[in-house]
Amino acid sequence: MIFIKFLLILIVTIGFIIFSFSSKLKIFQKLFIIIGYTVVFFFILYPSYSDEIAHIVSIKSGTDLIVYIVLSLTVLMNVILYVGQNNNSKVLTKIIREMAKKDAKKCQ
């Protein structure tokens, strides 16, 4: 049991380090990642607490609670990425239109 806890903590820590150093994040995003890492770290070390929290919110087991949270966060991240991609597409379209207008004026 201790080996799997060590392995999980190692994997989560490596993911945390790679993610936090590989992107430019805002303060709120960094805080959210640190809190998430702390919660994951805590549940790996003390899995019985996830069961207690699950029972408080009327869920059968801590595993179900963790799955629901991860699924919800995955959906949220997908929506955020979609909105960001959509905004980038709009900005890129606007830039290309302006460049095309400038090039059209040069040709006249």
Side-chain angles (χ1 to χ4, degrees), residues 19-47:
F19 185 74
S20 61
F21 287 116
S22 67
S23 61
K24 298 177 183 174
L25 300 173
K26 297 176 184 172
I27 295 292
F28 177 73
Q29 292 168 329
K30 286 181 183 179
L31 183 63
F32 186 72
I33 290 169
I34 290 170
I35 290 170
Y37 174 75
T38 306
V39 168
V40 169
F41 188 78
F42 179 78
F43 282 148
I44 289 172
L45 290 177
Y46 308 106

Side-chain angles (χ1 to χ4, degrees), residues 53-73:
I53 294 171
H55 291 299
I56 291 171
V57 293
S58 301
I59 298 176
K60 280 190 176 181
S61 70
T63 306
D64 291 343
L65 174 68
I66 292 171
V67 168
Y68 296 154
I69 291 171
V70 168
L71 184 62
S72 300
L73 291 176

Side-chain angles (χ1 to χ4, degrees), residues 5 42 83:
K5 285 184 180 184
F42 179 78
V83 169

